Amino acid sequence: MIKVRRSFLLAVLLGVLLSAAVAYGQRPLRIRGERWLTVSEINGYVEIVPFQGERRQAQIGDFLDRAGDLLITGDNASARLDVDQAVGYIRMAENSQLQIRALSVTQSGGYITDLFVLLGQVRLRIRPLTNPASRIEIYTPAGVTGVRGTDFGVTVQTEGTTGVATLEGSVASSAQGETVRVNTRQQSLTRPGEPPTPPEPLRDDPTLYIEVLRQLGGGQTDDMGNPLVQIAGFTDIVNLLDIEDDRKILDEAGRFDLTVPLPANRRISAQVITPLGTVQNYELVLP
């Protein structure tokens, strides 16, 4: 009789809570799992793509807790994700994509956090992990980087080339069966299908060097009739380069040679982002 009474009281209490939520126009409460990432800061337009659910604009307080959940930052946008249990946080630059691969807790209490950076730039500040079973791994199209407590950043270019830079601590960058340690104030690069390069001194240099900037002769235009401009130069190979909000591919030396439409004001915008998130904006002016 006592069990029946308790079940009845629980059912009544649940009904009251649900009715209150509807009455006040609140969304139904969602039970959070053992592990999650919380969206704590948003600048500009950021989208969340749940593994199960509809794509929508992200809001502060949203959380990602399932393998496959994806966060996307748009042009001139950024976001911060806090890792549960005060493990640390992740900052995403504009035009970046971060997806959960796995969030779990081992039988010994270790925290497993596997994330996939599909594109763009992220910076992580992670406190030292005290449980030997804990791990944080950042996957990219080129390889994987393991972390146990550090301040480091990652860039992923459109074809998957990955730059890793460590400000403090140490990370293990692995690909094609080879691993290198990227220690304090070092950086490394991994191209798809190749092992990581040997670590080099950290540069964190967003300088853009322009060698050619000229309007093409012969009346050459794009499909919309806009004159075309040739731009050639280089930047650090681990950096990301945007020209007129379009991410460009760098060759093996960090060089580029491309043509873009000439805006009416004859000014071409460019932006360079380092793995640590240092940003430098440029305005290329044609006379």
Side-chain angles (χ1 to χ4, degrees):
M1 185 69 179
I2 294 176
K3 292 183 178 179
V4 172
R5 185 174 298 172
R6 286 177 177 173
S7 299
F8 175 75
L9 290 175
L10 288 174
V12 171
L13 178 60
L14 179 60
V16 170
L17 291 174
L18 290 176
S19 298
V22 172
Y24 287 97
Q26 297 174 346
R27 292 181 296 178
L29 297 176
R30 180 180 175 189
I31 303 302
R32 179 177 295 169
E34 295 184 4
R35 301 293 320 285
W36 63 88
L37 302 179
T38 306
V39 180
S40 59
E41 293 180 14
I42 292 177
N43 294 294
Y45 187 75
V46 179
E47 286 188 315
I48 187 169
V49 186
F51 176 69
Q52 292 181 333
E54 295 184 359
R55 182 175 186 145
R56 59 179 173 80
Q57 185 171 356
Q59 300 178 357
I60 293 177
D62 282 339
F63 59 90
L64 293 76
D65 61 355
R66 299 177 183 177
D69 285 355
L70 175 67
L71 196 70
I72 302 174
T73 57
D75 292 339
N76 302 311
S78 63
R80 167 173 158 158
L81 291 163
D82 290 344
V83 185
D84 58 4
Q85 310 303 322
V87 171
Y89 64 85
I90 304 163
R91 288 194 179 278
M92 298 175 59
E94 64 177 291
N95 297 317
S96 301
Q97 300 180 14
L98 178 73
Q99 187 175 48
I100 293 179
R101 282 176 54 99
L103 291 173
S104 61
V105 181
T106 69
Q107 291 183 346
S108 62
Y111 281 29
I112 306 299
T113 305
D114 292 346
L115 307 174
F116 186 23
V117 181
L118 293 81
L119 183 69
Q121 184 272 335
V122 301
R123 181 170 178 176
L124 297 90
R125 293 186 179 180
I126 305 298
R127 66 169 173 78
L129 305 179
T130 56
N131 191 317
S134 294
R135 76 162 191 258
I136 294 179
E137 292 185 337
I138 307 301
Y139 290 79
T140 76
V144 59
T145 301
V147 185
R148 290 199 59 82
T150 187
D151 182 345
F152 82 110
V154 173
T155 50
V156 179
Q157 299 181 26
T158 53
E159 87 291 5
T161 295
T162 300
V164 175
T166 304
L167 185 62
E168 295 180 2
S170 178
V171 301
S173 185
S174 304
Q176 302 301 307
E178 297 187 24
T179 299
V180 300
R181 302 293 304 189
V182 186
N183 297 319
T184 298
R185 302 200 67 80
Q186 290 185 331
Q187 65 184 43
S188 176
L189 183 79
T190 305
R191 299 182 181 88
E194 299 181 13
T197 61
E200 299 178 323
L202 175 66
R203 292 182 286 272
D204 193 33
D205 181 7
T207 303
L208 177 64
Y209 299 91
I210 299 296
E211 298 172 319
V212 177
L213 178 63
R214 67 181 184 91
Q215 183 174 338
L216 297 182
Q220 298 185 57
T221 63
D222 65 4
D223 293 339
M224 302 297 294
N226 299 305
L228 293 176
V229 175
Q230 179 188 10
I231 307 174
F234 62 95
T235 187
D236 194 321
I237 183 58
V238 297
N239 293 342
L240 299 177
L241 172 64
D242 291 346
I243 303 289
E244 287 291 307
D245 295 324
D246 186 22
R247 192 144 289 164
K248 303 302 182 182
I249 296 176
L250 304 174
D251 69 11
E252 295 183 356
R255 306 188 69 86
F256 60 92
D257 188 344
L258 49 92
T259 57
V260 299
L262 178 62
N265 63 3
R266 304 184 70 81
R267 299 172 184 269
I268 299 171
S269 64
Q271 183 183 76
V272 176
I273 306 175
T274 73
L276 292 179
T278 300
V279 178
Q280 181 66 54
N281 293 306
Y282 297 87
E283 190 175 70
L284 311 180
V285 181
L286 272 80

